[in-house]
Amino acid sequence: MADYKITLLKGDGIGPEIVNQAVKVLDKTGEKFGFSIEYDEALLGGCAIDATGVPLPDETVEKCKASDSVILGAVGGPKWDTLPGNLRPEAGLLGIRGALGLFANLRPSVIFGPLKSASPIKDEIIGGNLDIMIVRELTGGIYFGERGRKEVGGHPAAWDTEMYTVPEIERIAKVAFDLAMKRNKKLTNVDKANVLESSRLWRETVIKVSKEYPEVELNHLYVDNCAMQLVRNPGQFDVIVTSNIFGDILSDEASMIAGSIGMLASASLSDGKLGLYEPIHGSAPDIAGLGIANPLATILSVAMMLRYSLDQPKAAQAIETAVAKVLETYRTPDIFEEGMKKVGCEEMGDLVCKEL
Ligand code: NAD
């Protein structure tokens, strides 16, 4: 019997190409570090709509729940863009996150040394290396709160509600403090406690949880200030914890500081070990099937899976080191620079395996 059972949701567009490379790298890592993986595939997104009529078939949820972790490529594409909202590929994404209870979204924003020039921020501001981890609450807050339309003073109006319970804040804060303990023991809480009552409860609760983590240095920033600080001095951050809506915006900002969308991984975690690991980019229909997609974001997502779900930190580190080494010489077209050797998706996967 294999040591781990992984469900693959290859999805649409470049999804299958990049996931195939990530699987190759994972198998190679298993050989090197002495563990074996059994894979199962399931449908999500456009391919699921074509085969079953819905973006998230029940069978997919069952397979994911029965596995140790899930690797997702990307979903969506012009073919399904005109379907009603609840039948679009993206509805499958929201559905699987909810069904698996994935309440914590981890988005690292990392610049690999050789890719420094990809960042739109000046070198002297980036300083050494950038390595920020944004922890975003994923299943609560304004995206899931009550909403509606009504008439106010004779005019059409609309409203949404931001609400968090103490247990929701506590569990995301614990994820962030635990991560900070494994990194540089520095956590920035981001809220809007000068204005919002929900933020005041958020901050009080984070402070309460901090008593369990005396070694972690905790500071607080208002979200507007954090947005500025990310561009002014990104090196000051280690781990950032924040609500669903603020995390949505700040994690996109932080990913742009790193510069290259084909390089950035993400993890969504549940209460248990089960996590869903995926690149932050979409299905890139413009380059699907051309063999030129950058598989590194998915390969780095596999490294996150090894670290956060499968408890194989050495294997995770080995993948990250191999990726950094390969980037010194080889690039896919999206991150190509003069003087480097241009390679395709499959070749990039092979090079990472060879470096391992
Ligand atoms: P996208 O991320 O797919 O592509 C944006 C640009 O980046 C494109 O030019 C693309 O070629 C390039 N790019 C993205 N990933 C790349 C990679 N690995 N290697 C090389 N180049 C890469 O965003 P989009 O074009 O806005 O969306 C395309 C489709 O993906 C839409 O249907 C959208 O809804 C969907 N989408 C899915 C997810 C997801 O599955 N998590 C996330 C975002 C968008």
Side-chain angles (χ1 to χ4, degrees):
M1 212 180 90
D3 295 304
Y4 306 113
K5 202 169 156 197
I6 303 296
T7 300
L8 304 175
L9 306 175
K10 293 184 176 177
D12 311 311
I14 60 168
E17 303 167 45
I18 53 178
V19 171
N20 288 345
Q21 300 316 307
V23 165
K24 205 157 74 181
V25 170
L26 184 55
D27 282 336
K28 180 77 189 175
T29 315
E31 262 172 48
K32 193 175 149 135
F33 289 88
F35 59 83
S36 58
I37 310 254
E38 183 188 316
Y39 300 97
D40 198 357
E41 283 191 35
L43 297 171
L44 180 78
C47 58
I49 295 171
D50 288 350
T52 69
V54 292
L56 176 60
D58 292 341
E59 193 197 4
T60 296
V61 175
E62 281 155 29
K63 282 185 175 182
C64 291
K65 279 186 175 166
S67 58
D68 291 301
S69 254
V70 180
I71 300 172
L72 167 65
V75 301
K79 183 177 173 191
W80 305 281
D81 273 353
T82 51
L83 292 171
N86 62 334
L87 283 181
R88 286 184 51 155
E90 294 77 2
L93 271 185
L94 284 182
I96 192 74
R97 287 174 185 152
L100 301 182
L102 305 171
F103 69 92
N105 185 226
L106 274 50
R107 288 258 301 248
S109 189
V110 179
I111 297 186
F112 284 83
L115 283 183
K116 244 187 203 166
S117 61
S119 173
I121 309 270
K122 286 187 203 123
D123 218 19
E124 61 260 35
I125 292 178
I126 296 278
N129 266 345
L130 181 81
D131 185 359
I132 304 173
M133 176 71 84
I134 297 192
V135 179
R136 166 189 171 195
E137 201 290 326
L138 204 56
T139 52
I142 199 163
Y143 292 173
F144 293 89
E146 277 184 42
R147 69 196 62 187
R149 299 231 175 171
K150 58 182 177 182
E151 201 153 291
V152 178
H155 301 291
W159 53 277
D160 299 271
T161 18
E162 169 90 346
M163 187 179 79
Y164 273 109
T165 65
V166 166
E168 278 177 311
I169 306 165
E170 280 172 347
R171 67 177 183 176
I172 192 77
K174 283 182 182 158
V175 169
F177 277 107
D178 284 338
L179 270 169
M181 282 299 289
K182 288 185 189 157
R183 293 168 49 104
N184 294 323
K185 300 197 170 79
K186 204 170 159 234
L187 177 64
T188 303
N189 168 54
V190 175
D191 58 37
K192 191 70 185 167
N194 50 343
V195 181
L196 302 176
E197 196 54 39
S198 52
S199 276
R200 285 192 271 272
L201 180 70
W202 179 282
R203 188 178 288 207
E204 280 163 31
T205 309
V206 170
I207 290 171
K208 239 185 263 163
V209 173
S210 74
K211 309 293 179 224
E212 295 166 40
Y213 298 85
E215 283 178 60
V216 177
E217 181 196 328
L218 172 69
N219 71 319
H220 305 273
L221 283 183
Y222 298 134
V223 61
D224 41 344
N225 188 15
C226 181
M228 287 195 287
Q229 295 298 329
L230 273 171
V231 180
R232 201 180 71 89
N233 178 15
Q236 70 183 283
F237 295 109
D238 179 17
V239 180
I240 291 175
V241 64
T242 192
S243 63
N244 201 341
I245 186 168
F246 296 157
D248 189 6
I249 299 162
L250 293 177
S251 62
D252 269 10
E253 184 189 358
S255 67
M256 277 302 105
I257 296 169
S260 167
I261 196 167
M263 291 296 304
L264 294 170
S266 81
S268 301
L269 306 180
S270 67
D271 273 324
K273 280 270 175 197
L274 177 66
L276 183 142
Y277 296 84
E278 60 182 315
I280 71 157
H281 60 72
S283 59
D286 52 333
I287 57 165
L290 299 182
I292 56 168
N294 184 348
L296 293 177
T298 318
I299 289 170
L300 292 167
S301 301
V302 161
M304 289 187 84
M305 180 181 83
L306 287 164
R307 184 170 286 123
Y308 298 120
S309 283
L310 307 188
D311 212 13
Q312 295 278 356
K314 284 188 183 145
Q317 184 60 54
I319 292 179
E320 287 158 358
T321 306
V323 167
K325 188 82 190 134
V326 168
L327 283 172
E328 286 173 10
T329 316
Y330 300 96
R331 302 289 171 84
T332 43
D334 58 312
I335 49 171
F336 183 72
E337 275 175 274
E338 227 27 74
M340 298 284 143
K341 289 183 185 148
K342 203 182 273 184
V343 295
C345 184
E346 198 170 340
E347 241 179 315
M348 187 52 106
D350 289 338
L351 285 161
V352 175
C353 286
K354 206 167 135 209
E355 195 56 49
L356 276 163

